[in-house]
Amino acid sequence: MFSKDIGIDLGTASILVYVAGKGIVLQEPSVVALHKDTGKLLKVGTEAQQMLGKTPGNIVAIRPLREGVISDYDMTERMLKEFIRKVTSFRLFKPRIVICVPSGITEVEERAVIDAGIQAGARRVYLIEEPVAAAIGAGIDITKPDGHMIVDIGGGTTDIAVISLSGIVESTSIKIAGDQFDEAIVKYIRRKHNVLIGDRTAEELKMKIGCVFPRPEDETMEIRGRCLMTGLPRVFSVNSSEMIEAFEEPATRILEAIHGVLERTPPELVADIATNGIVMTGGGSLLWGFDKLIESHTGIETHVADDAISCVAYGTGKSLDSVGDMQDGTINLSRRKQMN
């Protein structure tokens, strides 16, 4: 075959591209920088991310995906086109593409993703739900009549699903994830220290000392921001126990969503989950102590999958093997088969 099939994890924070036979070949932030006056695309991915919050008036750096869905269709299409161009060396045949989407996506949002993929150079576009892709990527055999619970915390959405017999039995998708944790830090620092910090500083805090469960030893980090009283730069320290306080609301919302899915799940599958445990994937699952927090609230053993950030991309890539069985725009293979 001249065209390699491609799997894309179209994330709010980053995009991962999987090429059949090669694995994950690209992982870049979902950011584009363009010239305001001419509309010319200047940078995509990592180079564009470095411009966030630092651009002059005539250059704008934007994230075209918000809360797991396309907020700027034109920019998403141009960004996808650029990434697809990077991973396909020749343009003789257009590739078939499987794109990963949140489980709570609407038909309109679904259509926008398919259209963006086609316009970006795909021959055909298929969709797969994030929890299904995450489960496949985490090495779970989803074909068995056995219940597994996946909690996928991405940049824009947290997808929670119970999977059995290759399909989603019960699920929910909430718009509380990595971005909201960053926002929670910005609000907390403003309220507690009277200092304004940027999103990138907030993300750095989250990754270095962020936690949702008490650490064995309190960790501190020095950060810089703008004092709201004087308007001047200020350097101060933040510790990890403050992070627990800052994250209380978004973490509680995720716990409530997990509880809700468990409540709606058939008892036989809940018994399976109690045995198999809860599997966490996505970048947000790496927030220190999240598995411990879920375990303490549910009483169910919880663990973070190996290579949690790439699970969805690997699962999307593995689903390329069965792309011949999919219908265009299929969102969940088993659900479609039951409907037909």
Side-chain angles (χ1 to χ4, degrees), residues 118-303:
I118 296 288
Q119 293 301 321
R123 180 166 92 244
R124 290 239 173 98
V125 174
Y126 306 91
L127 304 182
I128 183 170
E129 286 169 309
E130 261 165 38
V132 175
I136 296 169
I140 295 169
D141 183 356
I142 62 169
T143 60
K144 292 180 177 172
D146 197 18
H148 292 276
M149 184 177 233
I150 290 284
V151 177
D152 178 57
I153 307 174
T157 57
T158 291
D159 283 84
I160 301 150
V162 174
I163 298 169
S164 177
L165 290 166
S166 301
I168 290 178
V169 179
E170 196 54 68
S171 73
T172 190
S173 180
I174 59 168
K175 291 173 179 180
I176 302 284
D179 287 353
Q180 284 66 37
F181 281 97
D182 293 346
E183 279 169 29
I185 292 175
V186 173
K187 283 179 188 165
Y188 178 83
I189 299 292
R190 186 176 191 152
R191 191 176 69 243
K192 177 107 185 263
H193 296 278
N194 238 339
V195 173
L196 189 63
I197 60 166
D199 290 342
R200 287 183 67 186
T201 305
E203 191 176 15
E204 205 181 326
L205 261 175
K206 177 182 74 178
M207 291 167 84
K208 289 194 174 164
I209 65 164
C211 57
V212 289
F213 200 78
R215 286 178 181 261
E217 285 178 27
D218 215 19
E219 295 197 18
T220 57
M221 181 178 157
E222 200 175 76
I223 59 168
R224 290 170 173 78
R226 188 175 81 231
C227 179
L228 290 165
M229 307 289 280
T230 64
L232 298 170
R234 187 175 150 206
V235 181
F236 62 104
S237 291
V238 178
N239 62 38
S240 53
S241 51
E242 287 182 277
M243 292 290 97
I244 297 178
E245 223 177 298
F247 292 150
E248 190 178 352
E249 194 202 340
T252 304
R253 294 276 301 276
I254 290 172
L255 287 172
E256 284 168 356
I258 292 170
H259 199 156
V261 170
L262 283 168
E263 275 183 339
R264 298 191 301 273
T265 301
E268 278 80 5
L269 291 176
V270 173
D272 288 346
I273 293 162
T275 307
N276 297 328
I278 296 171
V279 177
M280 296 184 74
T281 61
S285 67
L286 301 177
L287 193 54
W288 200 92
F290 225 135
D291 50 347
K292 294 177 176 64
L293 183 72
I294 292 172
E295 200 167 307
S296 70
H297 278 258
T298 60
I300 300 168
E301 192 183 326
T302 305
H303 73 275

Side-chain angles (χ1 to χ4, degrees), residues 49 84 97 292 299 317:
Q49 188 189 36
I84 291 168
I97 296 180
K292 294 177 176 64

